[in-house]
Amino acid sequence: MRRLGLVLLALGMAAGMASAKPAKTARRPASPPAHWVGSWAASQQIPEDRNTLPPDALRDATLRQTVHLSIGGKTLRVVLSNAFGTAPLHLMGAHIARPGAALGSIDPATDRALTFSGRADVTIPAGADMLSDPIAFDAPALSDLAITLHYDAPPARQTSHPGARATSFYLSGDHVTDATLTGATAIAHWFQIEEVDVLGTAPAIVALGDSLTDGHGATTDGNDRWTDALARRLQAAHLGIAVLNKGIGGGRLLEDGLGPSALARFDRDVLAPPGVKWLILLEGINDLGVLTQEKPATEAEHAALVARVEAAYEQIVARAHAHGIKVYGATLMPWIGFDYYHPDAQNEADRQAVNAWLRAPRRFDALIDFDAVLRDTANPAILSPLHDSGDHLHPGPKGYQAMADAVPLTLFAPHRKARK
């Protein structure tokens, strides 16, 4: 009996100790690991003659360019490109800073020198890109960033994004740290800058397209392309998602236009940027327009082109899905009255055929119907006057805002940034 009493006493003490232990609290989910993600980007191309700098403009010269970030970060890196150069390009220096109050100026207190493998200068091989070393820099979401380059000698062939819709400045000599480039020449193009990445946990959207994505009809230095407006919507909704504009004016799906075709540049512009989770595809109107720009086409040629455009969409979806990227297709918007292509009834029938194909189930992970939002309600073949920039193809700022508003944020809702 005594032994039994001792056993019961021991069991009672153990139970009391167990009940005295604090209850386990639920563990907070682990934060996702930080990774690089693009915050701003531009597609690279060979500039056409009218957008090319004079041959010696960048000989021992400073070039200051401004970009508009979509998401922010405390650590960033810059991607410089010599993608279409025919010889190595040597840059003596590269700096970043917050812009000053005057256009083309910087706040000197924020100026930081970029390095490349620890060096201030960098040589970019022909056809290649170079990543800067990571640098601590407070870059808020939706802020501007000034990137200033000092060229040793001009590129053997220029690599550019002509449709910058942002003012850049170049000046002879080394002025990378100057607050203001007094006497500089202004241009509305970007050269050698391809991407700004930030270290964070956000994913990115790539918008692949032509001048409708590049922002023809938007305001220079106004950051009112549809991709800019979408980035603002995403920030306001606390989704914290980056938007990378990969539009090229005159771009086509199937053939090179003013820049490489969408199929040719897909790997570089969609797969190469870090952190891409979604692709919005709005392209094809230039393919349809070029067919009859100079001479009529037969009914068989119209049908064959429509089939090739649809096949190109399928190729892009398959290639994106192979890398875990969801693809959201977008319908082609009205264009009757656009003088450059002078589309007729058969061209319009081609657009309608492509849009019908796009709207069919299971073509994409989702469809964004820009056509339904921007067409005139009384005449669906033309762009709504409220949204028209004036050329009857490209929207103005109100039209680009309407395009951004037409993108359902529920497509990205699974990713939500925590409120601070």
Side-chain angles (χ1 to χ4, degrees):
M1 290 296 294
R2 182 181 178 187
R3 181 177 297 177
L4 177 60
L6 289 173
V7 170
L8 292 173
L9 178 62
L11 290 173
M13 291 176 63
M17 292 175 64
S19 63
K21 289 182 180 179
K24 290 184 178 180
T25 57
R27 290 185 179 180
R28 291 183 179 180
S31 299
H35 59 83
W36 289 109
V37 61
S39 176
W40 169 87
S43 295
Q44 304 301 295
Q45 65 184 90
I46 303 168
E48 57 271 34
D49 290 344
R50 63 189 175 90
N51 292 324
T52 302
L53 290 175
D56 270 354
L58 296 178
R59 187 175 301 282
D60 182 23
T62 298
L63 174 63
R64 179 166 293 163
Q65 307 171 90
T66 303
V67 304
H68 188 64
L69 304 180
S70 58
I71 61 170
K74 302 290 187 181
T75 303
L76 58 76
R77 66 186 184 187
V78 175
V79 182
L80 301 180
S81 181
N82 191 24
F84 295 96
T86 55
L89 173 64
H90 182 225
L91 297 174
M92 297 293 290
H95 283 230
I96 57 173
R98 290 190 183 179
L103 192 63
S105 68
I106 61 168
D107 175 2
T110 65
D111 180 73
R112 299 288 185 274
L114 297 176
T115 59
F116 301 84
S117 298
R119 295 177 57 90
D121 68 326
V122 61
T123 299
I124 311 174
D129 297 339
M130 294 292 279
L131 301 169
S132 75
D133 298 330
I135 184 171
F137 191 91
D138 186 9
L142 306 178
S143 66
D144 289 345
L145 181 72
I147 304 171
T148 309
L149 308 177
H150 179 208
Y151 288 74
D152 181 8
R157 185 168 68 182
Q158 293 173 17
T159 293
S160 169
H161 186 83
R165 272 126 209 141
T167 307
S168 303
F169 297 86
Y170 67 91
L171 180 66
S172 179
D174 181 5
H175 302 279
V176 289
T177 61
D178 290 8
T180 304
L181 300 183
T182 305
T185 300
I187 51 173
H189 317 303
W190 288 314
F191 294 86
Q192 260 67 64
I193 54 173
E194 182 166 8
E195 193 172 290
V196 176
D197 300 334
V198 298
L199 198 60
T201 59
I205 304 163
V206 165
L208 185 68
D210 47 38
S211 57
L212 295 163
T213 294
D214 202 21
H216 186 95
T219 309
T220 299
D221 300 312
N223 299 312
D224 50 16
R225 312 162 191 84
W226 72 264
T227 52
D228 298 317
L230 177 60
R232 288 191 289 271
R233 285 190 68 209
L234 290 164
Q235 286 296 320
H238 301 281
L239 288 172
I241 295 170
V243 181
L244 305 180
N245 187 315
K246 291 290 188 173
I248 288 184
R252 294 184 245 168
L253 286 165
L254 301 168
E255 306 289 342
D256 291 352
L258 298 181
S261 72
L263 291 175
R265 64 189 178 97
F266 181 84
D267 287 9
R268 178 183 193 89
D269 283 352
V270 179
L271 301 184
V276 176
K277 188 173 180 180
W278 302 281
L279 167 64
I280 299 176
L281 176 62
L282 172 61
E283 195 145 21
I285 201 70
N286 289 315
D287 297 79
L288 302 185
V290 167
L291 177 66
T292 56
Q293 187 175 19
E294 296 182 356
K295 62 180 182 179
T298 66
E299 186 174 339
E301 289 172 328
H302 279 279
L305 176 61
V306 168
R308 290 185 65 210
V309 166
E310 294 164 357
Y313 292 143
E314 292 178 328
Q315 288 286 314
I316 288 172
V317 170
R319 289 166 69 180
H321 282 176
H323 292 267
I325 298 171
K326 290 185 176 181
V327 186
Y328 302 147
T331 50
L332 304 183
M333 297 181 298
W335 63 332
I336 292 296
F338 182 54
D339 287 341
Y340 187 69
Y341 288 139
H342 48 81
D344 59 16
Q346 184 58 61
N347 298 121
E348 174 62 7
D350 293 345
R351 185 182 75 92
Q352 294 292 349
V354 169
N355 279 350
W357 187 93
L358 290 166
R359 290 184 176 111
R362 295 184 295 279
R363 302 294 192 196
F364 298 93
D365 296 291
L367 180 77
I368 300 167
D369 203 340
F370 288 142
D371 171 51
V373 172
L374 273 76
R375 66 194 179 199
D376 184 67
T377 54
N379 184 358
I382 68 171
L383 203 61
S384 164
L386 178 65
H387 299 137
D388 195 342
S389 67
D391 69 5
H392 310 306
L393 173 67
H394 299 95
K398 287 184 179 179
Y400 284 128
Q401 182 65 56
M403 291 175 68
D405 291 343
V407 179
L409 296 191
T410 52
L411 297 176
F412 320 107
H415 178 86
R416 185 168 292 275
K417 182 180 177 182
R419 296 186 188 221
K420 293 183 179 179

